[in-house]
Amino acid sequence: MFSGKPIKPTFKCYLPPVQVWEIVVNEVNFVKKCISAESSQDDLWGKLICTNFKVSFIPQDAPTKQKSKLSHLLLGEHDIPLTCLEQVVTVNDTKGKKKVLGSNQKLKFNPTELILYCKDLRIIRFCFDEAGPESAKKVCLAIAHYSHPADLHLLFGFEYQGRRYHETKVNGSKPRGGFQTPNFDRPSDWDREIKRTGASEWRVCSINEGFAISSSLPEYIVVPVSLADQDLKTYSIFLLDSRIPHWCWNHPNGSALVRMASIGDPIQQKKIEQRIFTAITKSHPQRSEVIRSDLDKCLPNIQDIQSAFFRIRQICVIDPFEESDERWLSSIENSRWLEHIRAFLKHSAEIVYHLDGKNASVILQEEEDRDLNGVVSSLVQLMLDPHYRSIVGFQSLVQKEWVMAGHRFLDRCNHLKKNEKVESPLFMLFLDCVWQMMNQYPAAFEFTETYLTVLSDSMWIPLFSTFLFNSPKQRRKHLMDFTKNKAIPQGEDEAVYFPPVWDWSQQFSTKDQTLFNNPMYVGKGAACVQNGEVKTFRRAKKSYSSTLRGPSASVRNGVKGGEDPFPRRGSLMSELRSDFSPMKDESPSERFFKDWFSRPADQQGVLIPLFMPSHMALWKLFFLRWVPEACIPKGGSITAYHKLSQLVDEIEILQSHLRRYKGPSPGGTPLPSPSGPISDQRRMYFKASSPNDPPTPPDFLTSSFPFSPMGNLCRRGIHGTPISKFLNGARIWLSTETLANDTI
Amino acid sequence: MEKHAGAPGGSDGAGPNRKLWGSPTSGAAAGETPESPSGSHVEWCKQLIAATISSQISVTPEHSTELRGKCSRTRFLSCQERASRPQVSQCHLFDTPPPPIPHVRMMMMRSSSFAVKDVMYICPFSGLVNGTLTITNYKLYFSGTDREFVLDVNLGVISRQETISVPNQGENTKGLELVCKDMRSPRFAYKTEEDHPDVVELISKHAFPLSHNLPLFAFLYKELFPVDGWKVYDPAAEYRRQLTISKVNSSYELCDTYPATLVIPTNISDDDIRRVAAFRVKHRIPVLSWIHPETQATIVRCSQPLVGPSDRRCKEDERFLQIIMDANAQSHKLSIFDARQGSVALTNKAKDGGFESESFYTNVELNFLEIPNIHVIRESLRKVKDAVYPTIDEAHWHSNIHQTHWLEYIRLLLAGAAKVADKLESGKTSVVVHCSDGWDRTAQLTSLSMLMLDSFYRTLPGFQVLLEKEWISFGHKFSRVGHGDENHANSERSPLFVQFIDCVWQMTRQFPAAFEFNELFLITVLDHLYSCLFGTFLYNSEQERAAKEVQTCTVSLWSYINSQKDDFTNPFYVDYQNHVLYPMVSSRHLELWSSYYARWNPRMRPQVGPPHELQRRVEELQREASSSHSLSSSSSHSPTHTTGHLCTPLSDTHTHTHTHTHTHSLTHTQSLIIDCVYDI
C-alpha cells in the first residue's frame, strides 16, 4: 500500500492518447481510483485530469496491457468523455456531506471523494485522501463545469475534427474510406433505395430543399407519384413542423411503409388524410387500402421509457448487488423496461402483418413523427427486409429513419445537460429491440451484440456527426459554421471533414472491428458485398413469395374446425366447445403469427420475433458488463463465439485456397475475390490455429468481453471502509434520483 | 455420411445406412431416427416436424410392423418439402404438443394394446380434438380422426389420474385428467359403453404396474444396442488412481444403501469402521467421492452422525475424519459442509441425529449450506408447473417465476457446490459433505462440485460416470420419482434429480463451450427418469438392483445414448482441461429452463435456447462448406488438371497444420465441416 508521499511519477513514457489538440483544464495528483470497496489492495494511484474532452486518470504504475478489452483508439481504459457523464457527485465522508455538481456551482466543503455516474452505466469512484484538498476541489468543479457545455460548438468534436481535417490534409494522407453507408442527404441515395425495393410508384421530392418547408425533415424525401409538390405544400401547413407523409420502405408486394406527423386541426384532418390515403393507395399495385397506426395511442411515451430505463439501470448497476439479487425477477418486471421493449416489438410485428400478411400499405402517425415512429419504422424494416440485417444495411437504416428523419439526438441524449425532461433513451430502446431479435435469431444478423453495444457507447463520444444534432437542418447549419470557422473549402464531402460514427476506424483498429462480425452470418454477407445489393434483394424476394401465400386449406379447416364432416362425433365436440375451447376469438393477425411461427424461420426472409413477456430477455452484455460481481470468468456466450469464429476462419482459409488453385471458372462469371484473405484482413477476431488463439478459449474471456468490469466500482464488500460507514448510514444516497434534488 | 436433409431429388429418405435398432428417441423428438446428417440441425427439424410425421402415420396397432420404415420415409418427405410446401399440416405443428417420449417398437406392445374410439382430447392450446385413444403397456397414444393430431404420453410419466366433470354430456360421458410428472396434465372426455373396459383402470394398471403386481416396462423392453451402457461405469477403473478399495461392503453387509465398492482410508480396521457405521445414520460412513489429482484434497460423503440430544461421541468417527484430514498434506483442516439449514440440523439433533461438534472434532470447521428439504423443493416445482401449464400469465411472468422460489433454491444449491469446490481448489482442504441421510442434497452437492472441478465429468461419458457413481451407486432414492407406483401423494416423492439436472443446465448456459453434451441430452435423461423404459434409474440402491437383476433384465439408458452420440453432442465443446469452472450464482444469471418446463406450450416452443441455435449455426456453416464442395466438383469436370492443382494446397504446409490440429481437436460435427471442404 501507499505510504507517505509517493514519488512523483513521470507521465511522459506512458501518456495515454491525450489528443494533441486537447486542452488540460485542471489536474490533481495522488488520487486513488477505487477498484474494489472490499480492500484497497487493487486500488490505483495516479493523476486525475480534466480536459475539454474527457476525464482522464493516469495510473502511476505503467498499465498492464489488458488483452481482455476492446481498446479504443481515442480513449484510454480510465477515460470518460465529458458527454458520457450523467452525474458528478462530490462527497466529504468525514463531514457526511455530498453534493451533485452542476455547471458554475460552488462547493462549500473539500471533497474526499468524487463519484462519476456515466451514461454508459459505469460508476467510477476517486478518493482524495492523499491529494491536495484545494486542487481536488478545483478538479471536481472543472469536471462539473466542462461536462455542462453552454453551446453545441463547445463539444470537443468540433475542435477535434477541424484540427484533424487540416492535419490529414497537410500530411497528404487520403481521406478515410469505408463510407459505404449512404447518408440519405442527397437524391441519389433515395433513388437507389426506391430501385432496390421496387417502389416504382414513388418519387424523390425536393420540396424541402434548403429546408424550405420543414426544419426537421431531410431535404429530399420520397412521396407518392400522384402527389404534386403543390399539394404537399398545401397540406404541409396543417402538419406539425410541416412533416408531410414521407416514404420509408416498400414491400415486394407493393405495400409501402410511410410515416408522418399528426394533423392538429380536426376540421382539416379528415380532408387531408383522405387525399393522402388516396395517393398512397394509388401507389399500390393492387390499390390496397391504407392502414393508419397512431403510435401515440398505443405505445409508451418518451417519459415512460426514460423512467423505465432509469429503474432498470438502478437495479442493474446502482442498487447494492446482493439486495437486488434477492428480488431480481420481480424488480426487472417492475422496472417495466422489458414490457416497453415488448410493446414496440409487438406493435412492429402487427405492422408487419398488415404489410406482409394483408398486403396493405401502412402509415405511421405520431404527433411529431420524430420519436416512436423512428423506432417502429426501423423495427418493421428490420423484420421484413434482410438487407437491413447486414452491417451496411443496418447503418443505412439508422441514417434513414433516425438521423435524417430528424430524431432529436441532441435533446434525447441531453448532451448539453440543459433539459432533463426531454431526455429519453429511445435509440437505446431501439438497440435493445434489435438485440431481442438477434437473441432469437442469432444467424440472421451480420453484426454482433458487441457492435450494438459499441454503437450505443458511441452516442456518448462527441466526435461523430451522427448523434450530435436534432435535425438535418440543425446539422447543416452547424456544419456550415464549422467549415467557415475551420477554413474548410466549400464542396468538401461532409463525411471527410466531420465523419459519422460509421467510420469505425476512428475508434477501433481493423482487428478490433472484426468483433462486429457475426460468424454465423457466413456466406450471405460475402455474397452481398460481391454481387451487390440487387442480388441480396432478389433472394429476399424469393423468400417473401412463400410468406405471401394465403392461409392454406388445412389452416382454414384445421384451426377453425367449425365444420365437422362427422356429425355423429361432432355432437360431443360442439357441445363441449363452449366450455373448453380457449380459441374463442382468434384475430386474423393472431392467425397470421401462428401460421408464421409454425414454419421454420428463414433467417434471410421475414423475421417476426416472439413477443410474449416470457420471451423478453435482459440484455446482459449491455446492462451487466461493468458489474464485477456479475461477470462470469471463462464463461458467457463469447466462448461459443470463440469456437465458432475459429471454425469460420478455418473454412475461409480453406475456401480461399480452393479458389486460388481452381483458376478461372468455366462459366465465365468471375469468381469472387480471387485472392484469399490476407491474415490481417481476416473477418474473424479469433483465428484458427494461431499461436495467439489456441483452441481452448483463453482465460481472459469473460461474460463481459470485450469489455472489462475491472476499474469499475465493485460494491460487494463495502463494509469496513470509511466510505461504507457513510454509505450504510444513508443507503438512499446512492440513488441518483434523491441526489438530483439535493443541494447543500 | 449421406446428407439426406439437404439433398434434392432423393424423395425417399430412408437411406441404406439406417440403424438396425429402433431408437427410443427422447425429448421433443419422436419416432425412429433415420441415419441422420450428424445430430445438429436434425434435432430441431425433428422437433418441428414431429407432429407432422406422427399425424401422417395415423397408426393402428395392426399396421404397426410397417411403422418404422414408413415413419422415417415420411419424415424425410416433409423435411425436404418443408420449403416448398409449408402448408402441410402447419397448424398442427403449432397446435400439437410435441410427442415427447419415443415410439417404442409398436410390435412389442401389440399384445396388450387397446383402442378407445370417440375420445375427445381437450387441448389447452387449440381446443377440442376428436379421435381415438390407444393404450398400450408403455404409453397412451391419441390420434385425431377428423383432424391431424397426435398426442403421445408415456405411461411412466403419469403421477395420478383425476376425474373431471364434463358438463351437459349425459351420464355416460366421463372426463379424465392425467396429472404428469413432466409438467403437463392432458385432459380427455370419453363415452363409457358397456362393452368397453374402464379406461381409468386400464391406464392405472400399466402406469402403476408395481401397484398391480406387474413388472416395470423396462423389464419387457429388449432393444439391442451396439453399445452396452451398463459398462460405462467401472468403479475399479474410476478409483484406480485413488486410495484403497475396501471390501468391507462387498456384499452390502456394512451399509445396504452403499455400493459394494467403497474407497476409505487404509489405516483403519474393519472393526473401527463398523463402529463408525453404527454412529452414522443408515450406516452411511464417510467414503471418498473425488480426490484432487494435485493436492490430494478429497470430497468425502456420508450421512449425519447420531449425536443426539446428549452429545454422544464416537472416538472412531473422530479418528476417521482425522485420518481423512491427514491424508491431505496440504492442509491441516477439514471442512464439513452440512447441506441442511442450521435450525433443521438442530431439530435433528434433538431426534438423535445431529452434526459434528467443532470442539470434539479438532481442526474441523462446520458450515451449514441452508438448503431446504425435499418437501420444499417438491412444492416449489409444483408452483413452477402452475406458472407454465397449461397457460402462462404473461402479465406477471417474471414475478410468478420469482414466487415459485425455484431459482432461489437452484442458486442455493449451486452456491453450496461452488463453496465445496472452492474449498478444495483454493483452500486445498478436504471436505466432508452430508445432509441427513446423505443421499439427496449430498448427492446434488458432491456431483455438482465434481462437475466444477473435474473436466472429465463434463464429457458425455464422464457425466454418465458421475450419475452412475454419485447418484445411482451411492443410493439416491430414485423411489422419489415413484416408478410404477400409484401412491402419488407419497411425501417421500421429490424432484431432487430434476433440480440437479437443472443446475447442470444452468452451468451449460454459463459455459456454453465447456460441456460435451447438449440440452437434448439433459432433457432425454429427465424423460427417461420417468419413462421406465430403461433400468438405469430404477430402484434405490445397488443391492436392490442386484436383487432385481436390473443389469441383465433391462437395457441401460446409456446403451441408447452412446449408440447415437451425435444427437447428444454439443458441437461447440472445447475441452477445458484442468480448468475449474465456477458458475456465477447470482439471480442475474439464472434462468427458468423454459425449453424443459414449458415445452408443452406451443407458444414457448419456437424459442430455441442457444444450444440449438448454435447447432443450427453449424448447419449453416456446413451448407457453406458443401456449397464450396459442389462448386469445386463442378469445376473438376473441366478439362484442366484441376485435381493436380488441388492437391497442391493440401500438401502445403500451412494447410496441413490446420488439418492436423483439427482432426485432433474438433468434434465430429466440426471435422465434418472440414471434411466437406477437403472432400474433393
Side-chain angles (χ1 to χ4, degrees):
Chain A
M1 245 274 283
F2 232 128
S3 58
K5 290 229 167 129
I7 307 146
K8 190 174 180 180
T10 52
F11 292 110
K12 266 179 204 157
C13 46
Y14 44 81
L15 198 71
V18 165
Q19 298 303 314
V20 189
W21 316 293
E22 215 173 323
I23 302 159
V24 174
V25 178
N26 223 313
E27 58 181 59
V28 57
N29 272 313
F30 314 122
V31 173
K32 187 171 75 173
K33 180 175 175 180
C34 306
I35 302 297
S36 156
E38 197 162 53
S39 71
S40 48
Q41 201 182 330
D42 300 322
D43 291 348
L44 296 170
W45 290 88
K47 178 174 176 176
L48 183 67
I49 300 175
C50 172
T51 78
N52 56 345
F53 171 44
K54 64 180 185 241
V55 176
S56 200
F57 176 78
I58 301 163
Q60 181 192 3
D61 302 313
T64 44
K65 178 92 176 118
Q66 265 186 307
K67 210 186 172 184
S68 60
K69 244 190 125 178
L70 191 64
S71 53
H72 200 279
L73 295 177
L74 303 172
L75 292 162
E77 192 191 332
H78 304 284
D79 292 353
I80 310 151
L82 291 168
T83 27
C84 187
L85 290 176
E86 168 91 39
Q87 209 158 44
V88 179
V89 181
T90 46
V91 178
N92 184 311
D93 63 345
T94 46
K95 290 183 183 165
K97 287 184 171 177
K98 78 268 178 187
K99 183 174 184 178
V100 181
L101 286 182
S103 180
N104 269 329
Q105 276 187 306
K106 281 188 180 127
L107 189 56
K108 289 178 185 158
F109 59 86
N110 286 329
T112 56
E113 304 249 343
L114 170 69
I115 303 183
L116 300 175
Y117 292 88
C118 305
K119 290 193 174 180
D120 61 5
L121 307 191
R122 278 183 291 172
I123 302 169
I124 313 283
R125 197 178 73 165
F126 297 104
C127 284
F128 302 121
D129 299 346
E130 307 278 339
E134 275 306 312
S135 37
K137 190 173 179 177
K138 272 182 194 153
V139 162
C140 292
L141 289 169
I143 291 170
H145 182 73
Y146 278 84
S147 59
H148 291 75
D151 188 86
L152 189 56
H153 272 298
L154 297 172
L155 289 181
F156 184 66
F158 289 89
E159 183 66 21
Y160 170 76
Q161 296 294 8
R163 300 278 195 133
R164 187 198 54 84
Y165 173 81
H166 289 292
E167 195 91 342
T168 49
K169 271 282 142 77
V170 170
N171 294 343
S173 59
K174 285 174 87 177
R176 276 171 279 192
F179 303 117
Q180 295 165 356
T181 306
N183 270 339
F184 289 98
D185 57 352
R186 62 194 86 185
S188 58
D189 290 341
W190 289 105
D191 264 330
R192 216 172 297 127
E193 193 70 358
I194 287 175
K195 284 207 187 74
R196 192 183 69 81
T197 58
S200 52
E201 293 299 307
W202 296 81
R203 69 181 177 94
V204 181
C205 158
S206 51
I207 184 177
N208 199 34
E209 228 165 41
F211 306 100
I213 65 159
S214 169
S215 61
S216 62
L217 279 179
E219 286 190 277
Y220 305 99
I221 54 170
V222 176
V223 297
V225 169
S226 58
L227 277 184
D229 283 3
Q230 193 47 52
D231 298 333
L232 291 167
K233 268 184 194 150
T234 322
Y235 307 152
S236 70
I237 346 167
F238 301 103
L239 287 151
L240 201 74
D241 194 28
S242 301
R243 286 184 71 94
I244 50 177
H246 53 119
W247 173 90
C248 305
W249 183 78
N250 242 57
H251 191 286
N253 67 18
S255 311
L257 180 67
V258 183
R259 52 189 279 189
M260 68 183 283
S262 306
I263 299 168
D265 183 348
I267 307 155
Q268 294 294 333
Q269 187 192 349
K270 220 170 174 193
K271 200 171 76 192
I272 295 171
E273 277 181 358
Q274 191 58 46
R275 291 192 194 153
I276 290 170
F277 285 15
T278 311
I280 296 174
T281 303
K282 274 188 194 160
S283 287
H284 195 291
Q286 281 95 50
R287 305 286 177 271
S288 270
E289 55 170 327
V290 178
I291 290 163
R292 177 233 311 265
S293 177
D294 191 340
L295 301 190
D296 286 324
K297 289 197 180 120
C298 51
L299 287 172
N301 63 33
I302 61 162
Q303 282 87 23
D304 295 339
I305 294 165
Q306 164 77 349
S307 51
F309 184 74
F310 191 86
R311 282 190 296 267
I312 198 162
R313 192 184 70 148
Q314 181 82 23
I315 298 160
C316 290
V317 297
I318 299 180
D319 283 346
F321 184 83
E322 309 287 350
E323 211 168 278
S324 55
D325 223 36
E326 284 293 301
R327 348 188 331 100
W328 181 250
L329 286 175
S330 296
S331 310
I332 290 294
E333 184 175 287
N334 292 341
S335 80
R336 303 185 72 187
W337 175 254
L338 293 181
E339 186 184 322
H340 294 338
I341 297 277
R342 173 181 118 83
F344 278 92
L345 285 172
K346 183 166 187 255
H347 195 78
S348 304
E350 267 151 23
I351 307 285
V352 166
Y353 157 69
H354 291 307
L355 289 162
D356 187 65
K358 275 184 75 184
N359 205 358
S361 292
V362 174
I363 189 154
L364 301 176
Q365 253 185 332
E366 186 200 352
E367 189 182 355
E368 279 205 305
D369 177 33
R370 295 170 75 174
D371 292 306
L372 309 182
N373 270 3
V375 183
V376 173
S377 73
S378 31
L379 283 177
V380 168
Q381 293 172 63
L382 215 52
M383 290 176 196
L384 283 168
D385 192 339
H387 167 67
Y388 297 120
R389 294 176 221 140
S390 68
I391 291 181
V392 170
F394 182 77
Q395 296 181 159
S396 77
L397 183 69
V398 173
Q399 201 63 33
K400 180 162 70 101
E401 300 301 330
W402 292 83
V403 181
M404 278 302 144
H407 177 67
R408 303 171 186 274
F409 276 109
L410 182 64
D411 290 348
R412 298 289 174 255
C413 294
N414 200 13
H415 282 318
L416 303 181
K417 300 190 175 60
K418 286 224 166 84
N419 186 356
E420 275 169 20
K421 286 197 183 101
V422 295
E423 189 174 341
S424 183
L426 234 71
F427 190 67
M428 172 53 215
L429 175 103
F430 165 64
L431 294 182
D432 199 337
C433 289
V434 177
W435 180 83
Q436 302 286 342
M437 286 185 67
M438 194 185 261
N439 189 38
Q440 293 182 20
Y441 303 105
F445 293 84
E446 192 186 2
F447 43 88
T448 56
E449 62 173 330
T450 301
Y451 170 84
L452 292 179
T453 312
V454 162
L455 181 58
S456 80
D457 287 346
S458 304
M459 272 198 284
W460 314 117
I461 304 173
L463 303 181
F464 325 111
S465 59
T466 312
F467 305 116
L468 287 184
F469 308 104
N470 276 336
S471 67
K473 185 183 179 182
Q474 188 190 28
R475 169 198 180 85
R476 168 69 53 82
K477 184 185 163 294
H478 277 92
L479 291 185
M480 289 264 278
D481 295 350
F482 171 73
T483 50
K484 267 182 220 150
N485 294 341
K486 304 291 173 194
I488 291 162
Q490 293 233 318
E492 181 71 277
D493 190 337
E494 181 188 299
V496 173
Y497 61 78
F498 210 126
V501 70
W502 316 126
D503 179 8
W504 291 106
S505 63
Q506 294 180 97
Q507 297 190 64
F508 303 103
S509 68
T510 317
K511 156 96 179 166
D512 279 354
Q513 284 178 56
T514 56
L515 278 170
F516 299 167
N517 296 331
N518 176 2
M520 269 146 296
Y521 197 69
V522 161
K524 288 153 195 160
C528 191
V529 174
Q530 284 146 14
N531 303 323
E533 290 162 338
V534 185
K535 162 112 191 221
T536 316
F537 188 60
R538 211 177 281 146
R539 187 187 13 233
K541 212 168 187 175
K542 208 162 129 200
S543 57
Y544 289 136
S545 63
S546 67
T547 67
L548 287 181
R549 278 194 198 129
S552 67
S554 69
V555 171
R556 266 179 261 123
N557 299 333
V559 172
K560 293 299 261 182
E563 53 286 337
D564 195 315
F566 307 103
R568 190 180 61 87
R569 296 188 195 109
S571 57
L572 181 56
M573 156 124 36
S574 52
E575 286 164 63
L576 274 177
R577 180 166 292 281
S578 58
D579 298 310
F580 290 105
S581 176
M583 311 266 300
K584 274 170 195 138
D585 301 298
E586 194 185 41
S587 73
S589 67
E590 274 166 2
R591 203 171 314 140
F592 171 80
F593 294 132
K594 191 168 160 180
D595 183 33
W596 192 88
F597 285 121
S598 70
R599 277 171 281 142
D602 173 8
Q603 310 259 337
Q604 285 292 295
V606 175
L607 274 194
I608 300 172
L610 290 154
F611 44 73
M612 291 292 133
S614 41
H615 297 125
M616 298 295 116
L618 181 76
W619 184 9
K620 286 183 197 156
L621 184 71
F622 180 84
F623 285 105
L624 301 178
R625 64 193 153 136
W626 307 120
V627 184
E629 300 97 319
C631 177
I632 310 170
K634 302 179 197 174
S637 58
I638 192 70
T639 54
Y641 177 88
H642 172 265
K643 177 88 191 182
L644 205 65
S645 301
Q646 290 192 326
L647 216 57
V648 169
D649 189 51
E650 175 88 22
I651 287 172
E652 285 180 349
I653 289 172
L654 294 170
Q655 283 174 333
S656 80
H657 279 279
L658 287 176
R659 272 197 297 272
R660 195 177 303 160
Y661 290 96
K662 198 144 38 202
S665 81
T669 44
L671 275 170
S673 95
S675 62
I678 309 158
S679 64
D680 61 332
Q681 282 177 358
R682 275 146 74 178
R683 282 195 322 122
M684 290 298 122
Y685 186 81
F686 298 105
K687 312 237 177 340
S689 306
S690 93
N692 298 331
D693 296 301
T696 317
D699 276 348
F700 62 74
L701 291 187
T702 70
S703 58
S704 288
F705 184 87
F707 309 95
S708 166
M710 268 296 290
N712 201 48
L713 183 61
C714 170
R715 255 160 279 95
R716 179 184 272 162
I718 202 145
H719 320 282
T721 59
I723 183 74
S724 77
K725 282 178 204 146
F726 179 67
L727 290 181
N728 287 343
R731 178 170 283 147
I732 197 153
W733 183 96
L734 275 171
S735 146
T736 45
E737 196 168 38
T738 345
L739 284 172
N741 309 323
D742 185 81
T743 40
I744 292 172
Chain B
M1 186 183 280
E2 279 196 44
K3 290 224 291 295
H4 300 300
S11 62
D12 184 349
N17 300 335
R18 294 248 324 282
K19 284 175 187 167
L20 296 173
W21 57 93
S23 66
T25 324
S26 60
E32 279 72 8
T33 315
E35 181 73 318
S36 60
S38 78
S40 60
H41 163 260
V42 181
E43 276 317 321
W44 175 237
C45 211
K46 274 182 203 165
Q47 289 184 29
L48 268 176
I49 62 178
T52 322
I53 310 310
S54 322
S55 62
Q56 285 166 356
I57 312 165
S58 61
V59 182
T60 55
E62 286 71 37
H63 299 127
S64 57
T65 33
E66 287 177 49
L67 171 66
R68 286 178 55 236
K70 201 172 173 184
C71 170
S72 35
R73 203 166 306 132
T74 328
R75 168 189 300 282
F76 271 113
L77 261 168
S78 24
C79 221
Q80 282 152 10
E81 294 181 5
R82 222 164 2 100
S84 53
R85 292 198 322 195
Q87 70 273 28
V88 176
S89 317
Q90 39 193 252
C91 61
H92 308 293
L93 283 176
F94 193 71
D95 286 347
T96 321
I101 306 287
H103 296 247
V104 177
R105 258 193 239 186
M106 283 287 189
M107 277 187 294
M108 290 187 308
M109 295 176 286
R110 207 199 298 190
S111 56
S112 56
S113 75
F114 187 84
V116 189
K117 289 191 172 155
D118 286 346
V119 177
M120 313 271 345
Y121 169 56
I122 305 160
C123 176
F125 312 113
S126 62
L128 292 172
V129 191
N130 203 345
T132 304
L133 183 67
T134 308
I135 300 159
T136 77
N137 57 349
Y138 174 63
K139 64 175 181 180
L140 63 86
Y141 179 87
F142 176 85
S143 64
T145 36
D146 42 68
R147 199 180 134 184
E148 288 165 0
F149 190 95
V150 160
L151 179 84
D152 201 332
V153 180
N154 160 312
L155 296 180
V157 92
I158 296 172
S159 172
R160 65 175 195 270
Q161 303 189 74
E162 271 189 14
T163 313
I164 52 170
S165 68
V166 187
N168 315 323
Q169 290 305 313
E171 278 180 26
N172 62 345
T173 299
K174 285 192 173 176
L176 172 66
E177 177 171 346
L178 302 175
V179 180
C180 293
K181 297 166 181 171
D182 67 346
M183 320 295 281
R184 58 178 166 161
S185 308
R187 308 208 278 169
F188 299 94
Y190 62 99
K191 292 188 172 171
T192 49
E193 282 164 39
E194 280 176 21
D195 52 331
H196 280 186
D198 186 18
V199 173
V200 176
E201 206 170 281
L202 204 63
I203 293 174
S204 168
K205 193 170 122 195
H206 295 304
F208 315 119
L210 296 186
S211 305
H212 293 81
N213 291 318
L214 289 169
L216 289 166
F217 189 75
F219 289 89
L220 306 173
Y221 179 62
K222 295 285 179 270
E223 202 70 72
L224 278 178
F225 290 96
V227 181
D228 183 359
W230 291 124
K231 298 204 170 109
V232 298
Y233 174 55
D234 172 5
E238 172 61 15
Y239 288 126
R240 196 161 292 147
R241 56 195 168 163
Q242 302 172 335
L243 311 174
T244 326
I245 298 178
S246 165
K247 295 211 163 46
V248 70
N249 201 37
S250 55
S251 46
Y252 312 109
E253 63 271 48
L254 181 78
C255 170
D256 59 358
T257 55
Y258 264 0
T261 311
L262 289 177
V263 176
I264 49 176
T266 34
N267 39 352
I268 186 156
S269 72
D270 284 3
D271 278 349
D272 283 355
I273 291 178
R274 272 180 212 105
R275 274 182 213 112
V276 173
F279 188 63
R280 294 274 168 183
V281 169
K282 306 268 187 342
H283 296 184
R284 293 173 67 93
I285 57 164
V287 289
L288 179 86
S289 272
W290 190 75
I291 181 164
H292 195 289
E294 281 158 29
T295 65
Q296 311 291 307
T298 52
I299 299 179
V300 170
R301 57 181 289 173
C302 56
S303 59
Q304 64 176 334
L306 292 165
V307 174
S310 57
D311 282 315
R312 261 194 303 272
R313 291 179 67 172
C314 173
K315 283 273 182 312
E316 291 78 11
D317 193 72
E318 286 162 25
R319 211 186 120 229
F320 198 100
L321 293 192
Q322 182 68 43
I323 293 170
I324 290 169
M325 184 195 312
D326 293 344
N328 166 23
Q330 306 272 338
S331 168
H332 302 294
K333 278 204 154 166
L334 184 72
S335 276
I336 298 176
F337 287 95
D338 188 328
R340 297 169 293 184
Q341 286 154 318
S343 55
V344 174
L346 270 173
T347 318
N348 267 304
K349 194 172 170 228
K351 290 187 275 181
D352 231 28
F355 44 88
E356 295 80 357
S357 155
E358 286 181 357
S359 47
F360 298 155
Y361 293 79
T362 40
N363 295 319
V364 162
E365 57 173 30
L366 179 72
N367 308 278
F368 291 106
L369 294 175
E370 306 292 328
I371 300 170
N373 63 24
I374 60 166
H375 311 294
V376 176
I377 304 302
R378 180 181 57 233
E379 195 50 24
S380 175
L381 192 64
R382 192 193 59 71
K383 286 183 193 154
V384 172
K385 181 177 178 178
D386 287 348
V388 300
Y389 189 95
T391 48
I392 290 173
D393 174 9
E394 288 287 356
H396 303 102
W397 167 254
H398 287 104
S399 46
N400 283 347
I401 296 304
H402 173 79
Q403 277 152 20
T404 66
H405 299 290
W406 179 255
L407 291 176
E408 203 177 305
Y409 302 141
I410 294 278
R411 183 163 64 112
L412 273 174
L413 203 49
L414 279 170
K419 277 181 201 161
V420 171
D422 183 60
K423 186 58 88 181
L424 233 86
E425 179 66 20
S426 314
K428 298 183 165 72
T429 302
S430 293
V431 297
V432 174
V433 182
H434 70 71
C435 45
S436 298
D437 295 319
W439 52 39
D440 291 319
R441 283 165 283 192
T442 302
Q444 291 178 320
L445 288 165
T446 55
S447 46
L448 283 172
S449 49
M450 286 156 78
L451 209 56
M452 295 172 196
L453 288 163
D454 191 337
S455 63
F456 170 65
Y457 298 121
R458 302 192 283 256
T459 65
L460 196 52
F463 191 72
Q464 295 169 15
V465 168
L466 185 72
L467 293 188
E468 287 284 348
K469 180 160 115 176
E470 289 304 304
W471 288 83
I472 298 166
S473 86
F474 278 116
H476 169 67
K477 282 176 99 177
F478 278 101
S479 61
R480 301 222 181 279
V481 172
H483 289 130
D485 172 24
E486 65 184 352
N487 186 9
H488 63 85
N490 188 340
S491 68
E492 285 297 299
R493 289 196 185 181
S494 188
L496 286 200
F497 188 75
V498 177
Q499 194 195 15
F500 160 71
I501 295 289
D502 192 329
C503 290
V504 177
W505 178 81
Q506 302 285 351
M507 283 186 71
T508 65
R509 293 281 292 176
Q510 296 195 18
F511 304 99
F515 293 83
E516 197 189 7
F517 47 86
N518 59 17
E519 183 180 38
L520 183 68
F521 170 76
L522 295 178
I523 293 180
T524 305
V525 166
L526 288 184
D527 279 343
H528 292 298
L529 172 69
Y530 299 127
S531 76
C532 298
L533 186 58
F534 299 103
T536 304
F537 299 122
L538 301 181
Y539 304 111
N540 290 335
S541 66
E542 205 174 278
Q543 189 190 30
E544 262 188 77
R545 269 172 225 114
K548 303 280 182 188
E549 296 177 76
V550 167
Q551 296 221 0
T552 46
C553 296
T554 72
V555 178
S556 160
L557 171 60
W558 316 129
S559 303
Y560 161 56
I561 298 272
N562 295 337
S563 299
Q564 45 198 84
K565 284 186 181 160
D566 285 355
D567 283 355
F568 303 109
T569 305
N570 170 14
F572 299 96
Y573 172 63
V574 172
D575 187 4
Y576 282 76
Q577 246 187 336
N578 308 323
H579 278 258
V580 179
L581 298 179
Y582 298 111
M584 187 51 62
V585 284
S586 148
S587 310
R588 285 159 166 80
H589 287 295
L590 300 180
E591 301 162 57
L592 187 78
W593 188 7
S594 299
S595 41
Y596 175 69
Y597 299 116
R599 64 183 157 153
W600 310 118
N601 189 329
R603 287 181 143 186
M604 297 300 283
R605 208 174 318 139
Q607 186 191 29
V608 199
H612 282 125
E613 286 292 354
L614 295 179
Q615 287 178 2
R616 280 204 285 163
R617 294 173 198 183
V618 166
E619 206 244 351
E620 292 280 324
L621 295 181
Q622 274 176 317
R623 215 178 291 146
E624 162 81 357
S626 57
S627 74
S628 105
H629 176 191
S630 63
L631 208 96
S632 52
S633 54
S634 71
S635 68
S636 68
H637 294 298
S638 66
T640 50
H641 300 284
T642 329
T643 336
H645 282 285
L646 279 167
C647 282
T648 329
L650 296 184
S651 53
D652 176 300
T653 38
H654 175 66
T655 324
H656 194 77
T657 351
H658 284 304
T659 342
H660 186 74
T661 352
H662 280 270
T663 42
H664 285 287
S665 64
L666 297 185
T667 67
H668 173 77
T669 319
Q670 292 145 3
S671 25
L672 205 95
I673 303 169
I674 308 300
D675 287 349
C676 287
V677 181
Y678 278 124
D679 185 18
I680 320 152

